[in-house]
Amino acid sequence: MEHFLSKISRNLYVIPGGFFVTKLFRKFFDGSSQPENWRNFEFRGVSMKVDIAKQMGAAIYWRGAHDWAPIFVLEKFLNKGDTFIDVGANQGEYSLWAARKVGTQGKVVAFEPMQKLYDQLTENIRLNDAFHKTISPVKLGLSDKKGEVILYASEDSNEGTNTIYNTDKFSIEIGKIQLDTLDEQIKELSVSDVNFLKIDVEGAELQVLKGALNTIKTHRPILLLEINKDACIAGGYLPEHILELLKPFNYSFSKIGLRGSLSKVEDLPDFCNILATPQ
């Protein structure tokens, strides 16, 4: 019954308000009481293995995506043959959707520094034969310089919020990770073009962008940025500093709303996804 209902609920993404039906289904099959609870599924040509005991894994399993709004944006702005860079790839959700869109002539480079999530990323790539030549996973974090830092987690079940900043909430050490800059990695990996750059690194977005200025100047990619005010403050800056850094490159900024709708950025909320497009 769970398999049957999850298949129905994933397809409700096409219906405005389908989220509330999915939420009702999930109440009857709550897997969060177990330490691990793995499921494999296939949806819209993408296969994934997720842990429904975790917040993000459960959302992907029941909804098809943990947040559909950025996925709608990817599908609108990515084209066949594009190169997509995924910084903070996690278990590979965005990388898989991007690979589906860019096709065999395109390229996806997925950066994920945490060993456990990197293993899950590579497993999800393995499950998709058609994407093997398209997606290149890289076990590395990105910043504004090379180095090594400690990664921290919180006590909750959200596997998408690990951070390099030690705070009252994020205080559980989960190991050291290696860092490099995107500019150096673009050269090292011989990436000839960058069309779309997604960054979701829990407060280190500004540092990643500072290490990617040559890439931004040279390739003028579209940028998808998750901005969390609390995470930015933990990183020692304000969300507005991200926009200020990019303004000299002549980008325009839109907030991503329901179902991928775009609205002009006037005031940044405490949490939002931003689409930056070169003019």
Side-chain angles (χ1 to χ4, degrees), residues 50-269:
V50 296
D51 182 2
I52 66 170
K54 300 291 191 295
Q55 186 174 324
M56 185 178 289
I60 295 171
Y61 178 69
W62 285 102
R63 298 178 59 197
H66 88 275
D67 183 356
W68 269 107
I71 301 298
F72 283 131
V73 169
L74 286 188
E75 295 193 332
K76 179 179 179 180
F77 286 91
L78 273 177
N79 299 299
K80 294 291 184 183
D82 278 354
T83 296
F84 176 80
I85 307 296
D86 190 354
V87 183
N90 202 272
Q91 54 205 279
E93 178 187 11
Y94 286 84
S95 290
L96 294 170
W97 285 115
R100 176 180 180 270
K101 188 64 189 287
V102 304
T104 56
Q105 300 304 310
K107 185 176 183 63
V108 174
V109 183
F111 292 94
E112 175 49 53
M114 180 183 170
Q115 185 65 57
K116 188 172 183 179
L117 287 174
Y118 179 80
D119 291 342
Q120 194 176 348
L121 166 66
T122 55
E123 171 65 8
N124 281 324
I125 296 171
R126 186 192 67 79
L127 293 173
N128 293 270
D129 292 342
F131 303 158
H132 287 182
K133 293 182 179 179
T134 303
I135 307 178
S136 300
V138 182
K139 187 177 176 292
L140 194 65
L142 296 183
S143 188
D144 56 350
K145 58 185 176 182
K146 286 179 178 287
E148 182 181 76
V149 295
I150 296 172
L151 199 62
Y152 296 93
S154 66
E155 294 183 353
D156 65 25
S157 62
N158 190 341
E159 69 275 41
T161 58
N162 301 323
T163 177
I164 62 174
Y165 302 113
N166 185 0
T167 64
D168 289 342
K169 181 178 180 181
F170 295 93
S171 58
I172 302 172
E173 292 190 18
I174 53 177
K176 292 182 178 180
I177 61 170
Q178 300 299 314
L179 299 175
D180 198 0
T181 68
L182 180 61
D183 286 343
E184 287 300 315
Q185 283 296 302
I186 292 298
K187 289 189 290 186
E188 186 172 321
L189 299 171
S190 299
V191 176
S192 60
D193 201 5
V194 181
N195 304 101
F196 202 116
L197 171 59
K198 167 256 179 183
I199 306 174
D200 180 359
V201 286
E202 301 305 314
E205 285 78 11
L206 184 65
Q207 288 80 357
V208 172
L209 288 168
K210 286 181 177 179
L213 293 180
N214 187 59
T215 300
I216 293 169
K217 179 181 178 180
T218 303
H219 299 287
R220 309 279 294 153
I222 296 172
L223 307 173
L224 173 60
L225 310 168
E226 182 182 276
I227 297 181
N228 181 325
K229 184 175 181 179
D230 288 342
C232 291
I233 291 172
Y237 64 95
L238 295 174
E240 289 75 15
H241 294 158
I242 293 175
L243 307 189
E244 291 171 6
L245 180 72
L246 293 171
K247 280 181 180 177
F249 297 95
N250 196 23
Y251 273 80
S252 65
F253 307 101
S254 301
K255 285 187 291 186
I256 300 174
L258 290 175
R259 305 186 67 77
S261 62
L262 299 175
S263 59
K264 183 179 179 181
V265 171
E266 294 178 353
D267 296 312
L268 285 174

